[in-house]
Amino acid sequence: MRNEDGNLSELADLIHGVSRQLRPPADLQPGPCTPMEITVMRYVHRNPGTSARNAADALFLPSSNFSRIVRGLEEKGLVRRADDAQDGRGVRLHPTALADENQKRLSDAWQGALQGIIEDPQTIALVNATLRRIETALNKTPRS
């Protein structure tokens, strides 16, 4: 094994560990969301109007699991489904105003949790760019 391989494994391990420490705030409305609901909402916020199928595929979720999560988010008033104008069988997903408010709460909570840990804006920009590149590449990689 090359030294780089060990470093990449450590990077993945650290990303996982940090993500587990970033808890959602207690003031989400209408109540707490599961980590998977937050993952789906993150995708819908970044891709408003996405098809349900594309979102499920991008998140590597079986359609039955994805549908269950979206139903729960609808019941909470966080996602709105709309019929796909080009495909009558398809559904498009949109965040609601309440979801936008929750996204702001989540962003503020995570900003507060990380504030002061890294002071150098250039380091933060480099880490963000690197993680964005990793996420983009992993999203393009087929999973088995």
Side-chain angles (χ1 to χ4, degrees):
M1 177 190 326
R2 297 181 323 215
N3 184 31
E4 177 182 292
D5 294 337
N7 288 339
L8 292 175
S9 175
E10 181 180 14
L11 175 64
D13 181 64
L14 289 167
I15 290 169
H16 182 73
V18 168
S19 72
R20 299 288 298 155
Q21 296 297 319
L22 293 173
R23 307 229 186 259
D27 64 346
L28 294 180
Q29 298 298 320
C33 287
T34 68
M36 194 50 71
E37 287 174 329
I38 290 171
T39 297
V40 170
M41 286 308 308
R42 178 177 180 263
Y43 188 85
V44 171
H45 263 107
R46 289 175 177 228
N47 303 279
T50 186
S51 73
R53 178 182 198 104
N54 285 348
D57 289 347
L59 296 173
F60 300 99
L61 287 170
S63 61
S64 59
N65 291 13
F66 184 80
S67 294
R68 182 180 43 78
I69 293 165
V70 169
R71 272 194 306 278
L73 291 168
E74 275 186 298
E75 290 169 5
K76 291 179 178 183
L78 300 173
V79 168
R80 178 180 57 82
R81 290 185 203 226
D83 291 335
D84 188 328
Q86 283 121 10
D87 178 1
R89 300 168 297 161
V91 173
R92 297 285 174 171
L93 303 175
H94 300 272
T96 65
L98 182 57
D100 293 340
E101 292 171 26
N102 277 348
Q103 183 61 36
K104 173 84 170 87
R105 287 182 181 103
L106 193 62
S107 179
D108 289 348
W110 288 350
Q111 177 77 20
L114 297 174
Q115 193 70 41
I117 294 174
I118 301 174
E119 295 292 339
D120 178 29
Q122 289 179 327
T123 300
I124 294 168
L126 177 62
V127 170
N128 287 346
T130 301
L131 291 173
R132 197 174 303 111
R133 187 170 143 210
I134 290 168
E135 181 181 34
T136 299
L138 289 174
N139 281 338
K140 292 178 182 176
T141 304
R143 304 244 172 116
S144 52

